[in-house]
Amino acid sequence: MWLKLFFLLLYFVVLFVLSRIFEAVVWYETGVFATQLVDPVTLSYKKLKTILESRGLGHPGLPGGKDVSELVEKSGELTQGELYSAMKKEKEQSEAGDVETTLFNGEAHFYELVEDTKDGIWLVQVIAQNREAPLSKSSWGKVVQKVSQFGIRTGTFNCSSDHRSCIKRGWQRSTLVMSAPQTSASKGKVMLKEYDGWRMDTEHIFRWITSHVAHRIKTLRRSDQLMEEWRSDSDHPVKMFLFARLPQPPAFFSSLSVKFTGRIDFIFVDVCRWSNFSSLSAIGVTRSPAYILKMPEGTYHYGNSFGEFLSLASMDVFLRSVQPEVNDLFVLSLLLINLLAWMDLFITQGATVKRFVVLIRTLGTYNSILLVSWLPVLALLQLPYLDSLYGYSLKLLRYADTTTLASLVRADWIFYSSHPALFLSTYLAHGLLVDYFEKKRRCGSRSQEDSSTNLEWLASLWDWYASYLLHPITSFQQVPSDLSDWEDDPSFLFERLAFPDLWLRPLVNMDYMKALPTWRLSVDTPSPPAGPCRDGSKGPPPLGHHDYSVSTGLAPHSGCHKEGASSSSSVNRKPEDGGGGVSGRELCDCSEWPPSVLPCSECVVCLENFEGGELLMGLPCGHAFHQHCIVVWLAAGRHCCPVCRWPSYKKKSAVTPPLD
């Protein structure tokens, strides 16, 4: 988990550095920066028209470019970055062709998307029954393409699919209908407005839409009105002001006022006939046009930092960062958690099929955890006692998002989101490098599972699945072969949270039994039977007055070896006073036992003494049993030691044999 998080943070650092490299290359080739201002007079009429369309301003359409350049200057300063973005977007729209539009199938569908949507603008083409559409297919395509760049959604309602609804709404003829929130309050009433113009061309329809949307924005024309709105207001703490000499605000500004309804107040200050400029100087407005964000923490002049263009996409990212809503944070967390999960594809070593199976499992687990985690967060946000905490959180966020570093991050976000191929290719390249270094890191300790082929891994997966069907209490989690502590692995916690009904039953894969120490006792000279070491604190009980080894707690002359090991020499001992006769039992030389296993002479599962030639198995806690006895015990779902109840899949610190 932490390794994936480290690689993801490293990838973001690489993206940040790569953007700075791109800027240096552009400056080296062209000699200009993205923040460098452009004089509109030096631009061609086509480029000026593109800038006006991207900002959403109508232009007179004269053959000369003087009036158009003046309109660009009145709407705001033009930078090289904005010019490049506008030209690129126009090229993409011309190459993309038709833009998708919604086809409504009835009254319920129309109400759900249009009237019940409180934070968006819709333009709907209504086709009356047995009538033609108000616009031809090509004209409607141009309208859709023009309005869609300002976040205006479009659709077509054919009255033949629901004639009764058209009669109820008074749509007796084919027309255009626009919907927008009527007030600036959150979740306010939606207004439906029918087009009343006689010219059905793209420019007139667009001006009709922008003029109605602009009426939602509060317009100030006197200094006393400005000073009243400039005062701090606890009900509306964040306000976006536009100071300009324009008949109405640009379309991108008006569209944002609808999108941020209830969060940010948009105010247009018309300074065309302004008489008192001292009031502007008093609040820090030294030029026109100016886009100023008024916050409780102070004012922020939009457009002065890197990547802040006068476009819908740029200002939308800026406003979402300083005044986000819960849905914005959820989408961001969803993106980050999926990028984190996809790192598993490169970190996991082994067969290709194994990588994708692990990836699918990780995606499902992480997304389930994300959805479950957001439920209590949403519940807490509804509590009135947390309003102050929410306000302080937004205050800290605004302090952070008005810095230069935040403007660079926003600019990179816009750049990579507009170039998805570059983003995906860099992520893939980063993942391949991660895979390469992971192979190098694991080269010395590569397990057999890492080097298995696709068919071999599928066969092992089928064995696990068959075992799961037969023993459903064993589980979804692959236990590491080195018996690593599960509490140190956050993936195990994720697995638990993803399947909360499994908290009451063990989530253990039987494969850990393959790594438990197993050895066979060698046949040796019989000795008197010894008692078990059941609590791990004492060795076998003393027999007669024989001396026992301090390091093992057992008689030093008994034979026991790991399977395949050579036999140790032993000395026949005769029973002395107080001792019993030879019982036929055979003990082992416990100095040959695995160092992590406590020596003892009896299996507490079957209550029989260990004899020569028997196969023994040890658990991580240090206790030993007959191999067949402990396997039956563990396979029944009791994944713990019969003596001390220590989990049989969990590693324990080194076991030190006790002193008698």
Side-chain angles (χ1 to χ4, degrees):
M1 175 68 179
W2 298 112
L3 185 63
K4 288 182 284 188
L5 185 60
F6 168 75
F7 284 131
L8 184 61
L9 293 177
L10 181 62
Y11 172 65
F12 290 147
V13 173
V14 170
L15 288 182
F16 185 82
V17 174
L18 190 62
S19 298
R20 308 288 81 79
I21 294 175
F22 287 156
E23 294 169 10
V25 170
V26 172
W27 172 79
Y28 180 78
E29 293 181 351
T30 63
V32 296
F33 285 105
T35 55
Q36 186 172 340
L37 298 178
V38 179
D39 187 1
V41 179
T42 61
L43 299 179
S44 63
Y45 176 77
K46 181 180 179 181
K47 292 183 178 180
L48 292 173
K49 181 181 176 182
T50 302
I51 293 298
L52 289 178
E53 289 182 351
S54 66
R55 294 181 177 181
L57 289 170
H59 56 89
L62 299 176
K66 182 178 179 180
D67 295 335
V68 179
S69 62
E70 290 179 356
L71 189 57
V72 171
E73 291 179 349
K74 290 180 180 180
S75 61
E77 294 179 339
L78 177 62
T79 60
Q80 290 284 353
E82 182 182 357
L83 178 61
Y84 167 78
S85 300
M87 298 301 296
K88 178 179 177 296
K89 192 171 185 179
E90 184 188 35
K91 182 180 179 181
E92 290 177 350
Q93 288 181 346
S94 61
E95 294 176 352
D98 297 337
V99 182
E100 293 184 2
T101 183
T102 305
L103 182 62
F104 299 101
N105 53 24
E107 171 70 16
H109 192 199
F110 179 83
Y111 177 81
E112 178 184 0
L113 295 182
V114 178
E115 294 184 287
D116 197 39
T117 303
K118 310 297 185 181
D119 58 350
I121 307 173
W122 276 87
L123 178 64
V124 181
Q125 180 181 218
V126 178
I127 304 176
Q129 191 174 19
N130 301 325
R131 300 289 181 89
E132 295 182 354
L135 294 173
S136 63
K137 186 177 180 179
S138 60
S139 299
W140 174 245
K142 293 179 181 179
V143 172
V144 171
Q145 192 176 51
K146 186 175 182 63
V147 301
S148 62
Q149 60 182 330
F150 299 102
I152 301 175
R153 288 166 283 188
T154 58
T156 301
F157 190 96
N158 198 326
C159 291
S160 59
S161 60
D162 194 346
H163 182 57
R164 183 176 300 178
S165 176
C166 290
I167 295 177
K168 182 180 68 175
R169 295 179 179 273
W171 295 338
Q172 302 296 331
R173 61 183 182 88
S174 299
T175 184
L176 296 175
V177 176
M178 184 193 72
S179 73
Q182 190 171 359
T183 63
S184 59
S186 179
K187 304 299 181 182
K189 185 178 180 181
V190 173
M191 170 190 65
L192 291 178
K193 186 71 175 179
E194 187 175 344
Y195 181 65
D196 53 2
W198 59 275
R199 294 188 61 179
M200 287 292 185
D201 60 89
T202 304
E203 290 299 328
H204 280 79
I205 294 174
F206 182 72
R207 291 178 188 176
W208 168 71
I209 295 174
T210 54
S211 63
H212 280 286
V213 177
H215 289 161
R216 297 184 67 260
I217 300 178
K218 185 180 295 186
T219 302
L220 308 179
R221 293 184 172 87
R222 300 196 311 270
S223 59
D224 57 339
Q225 294 177 335
L226 174 62
M227 301 309 297
E228 180 68 23
E229 287 293 335
W230 194 262
R231 293 192 183 96
S232 299
D233 188 357
S234 58
D235 296 332
H236 304 88
V238 183
K239 299 179 181 180
M240 189 70 186
F241 287 86
L242 168 59
F243 299 85
R245 292 181 173 86
L246 295 171
Q248 69 180 31
F252 82 92
F253 193 81
S254 302
S255 299
L256 289 172
S257 69
V258 177
K259 183 174 292 188
F260 288 88
T261 298
R263 285 192 282 171
I264 301 176
D265 283 356
F266 285 74
I267 300 173
F268 173 57
V269 182
D270 184 10
V271 295
C272 288
R273 299 177 180 85
W274 204 264
S275 57
N276 186 8
F277 288 95
S278 60
S279 59
L280 296 179
S281 302
I283 61 177
V285 180
T286 58
R287 63 181 182 181
S288 174
Y291 295 82
I292 299 179
L293 182 67
K294 176 69 167 57
M295 304 173 292
E297 299 77 27
T299 59
Y300 182 84
H301 291 253
Y302 178 82
N304 293 341
S305 299
F306 185 84
E308 295 179 351
F309 307 143
L310 301 183
S311 63
L312 179 74
S314 179
M315 187 172 285
D316 177 67
V317 172
F318 168 73
L319 295 178
R320 284 181 185 273
S321 65
V322 297
Q323 193 73 8
E325 62 178 0
V326 177
N327 187 62
D328 298 330
L329 300 178
F330 173 75
V331 172
L332 180 61
S333 63
L334 184 65
L335 175 63
L336 293 178
I337 205 70
N338 279 274
L339 287 176
L340 186 65
W342 272 88
M343 279 292 169
D344 248 351
L345 182 65
F346 309 105
I347 294 178
T348 304
Q349 299 298 310
T352 306
V353 177
K354 174 187 174 182
R355 292 172 183 257
F356 280 98
V357 170
V358 173
L359 173 63
I360 294 172
R361 184 192 65 180
T362 307
L363 285 172
T365 302
Y366 283 16
N367 284 278
S368 300
I369 294 301
L370 179 67
L371 295 176
V372 172
S373 302
W374 267 101
L375 294 178
V377 173
L378 294 176
L380 290 175
L381 290 177
Q382 305 299 323
L383 298 178
Y385 306 103
L386 296 179
D387 289 343
S388 58
L389 177 62
Y390 181 70
Y392 283 123
S393 300
L394 290 178
K395 183 182 292 291
L396 292 176
L397 189 63
R398 287 193 289 264
Y399 274 122
D401 286 333
T402 52
T403 60
T404 304
L405 178 61
S407 64
L408 292 174
V409 173
R410 287 193 297 267
D412 293 347
W413 173 278
I414 296 174
F415 174 74
Y416 286 110
S417 60
S418 60
H419 298 80
L422 178 61
F423 178 81
L424 294 177
S425 61
T426 52
Y427 188 83
L428 178 60
H430 178 74
L432 293 176
L433 288 176
V434 169
D435 180 59
Y436 174 76
F437 286 113
E438 277 295 295
K439 286 181 180 178
K440 290 292 185 182
R441 187 176 68 88
R442 301 187 184 184
C443 184
S445 59
R446 180 176 298 176
S447 63
Q448 183 179 0
E449 185 181 3
D450 289 345
S451 59
S452 61
T453 63
N454 290 330
L455 293 178
E456 292 173 347
W457 192 85
L458 285 174
S460 65
L461 181 64
W462 172 252
D463 293 340
W464 173 85
Y465 183 67
S467 175
Y468 168 70
L469 292 179
L470 295 176
H471 304 283
I473 60 174
T474 67
S475 219
F476 298 90
Q477 177 69 21
Q478 179 70 31
V479 180
S481 59
D482 60 349
L483 298 176
S484 61
D485 193 345
W486 282 18
E487 278 73 7
D488 295 337
D489 186 5
S491 299
F492 178 67
L493 177 61
F494 275 13
E495 202 72 46
R496 289 284 193 180
L497 295 176
F499 302 95
D501 61 308
L502 301 177
W503 276 100
L504 301 180
R505 55 180 177 173
L507 284 172
V508 182
N509 192 315
M510 303 294 290
D511 289 346
Y512 75 89
M513 296 169 58
K514 300 176 183 178
L516 295 176
T518 305
W519 68 100
R520 187 179 301 277
L521 292 177
S522 62
V523 178
D524 209 337
T525 304
S527 298
C533 179
R534 300 191 180 187
D535 58 355
S537 61
K538 294 181 180 180
L543 302 175
H545 60 273
H546 293 299
D547 293 334
Y548 292 90
S549 172
V550 174
S551 62
T552 62
L554 289 179
H557 300 293
S558 54
C560 175
H561 306 276
K562 293 184 181 179
E563 188 174 1
S566 60
S567 300
S568 300
S569 62
S570 60
V571 179
N572 295 336
R573 301 182 61 91
K574 296 181 181 180
E576 300 182 6
D577 296 339
V582 177
S583 64
R585 303 285 182 180
E586 293 140 358
L587 292 181
C588 60
D589 181 5
C590 295
S591 62
E592 295 295 332
W593 283 39
S596 61
V597 180
L598 291 170
C600 58
S601 61
E602 180 182 291
C603 175
V604 300
V605 178
C606 65
L607 301 180
E608 296 289 340
N609 288 337
F610 298 138
E611 297 184 6
E614 290 183 334
L615 191 63
L616 305 186
M617 177 179 284
L619 295 183
C621 58
H623 294 109
F625 312 89
H626 287 123
Q627 193 266 351
H628 61 277
C629 294
I630 195 61
V631 166
V632 173
W633 171 276
L634 298 175
R638 298 181 289 261
H639 297 280
C640 61
C641 176
V643 178
C644 63
R645 299 300 175 182
W646 182 267
S648 56
Y649 51 79
K650 183 177 179 182
K651 183 172 65 175
K652 197 173 184 180
S653 58
V655 178
T656 303
L659 297 176
D660 285 343

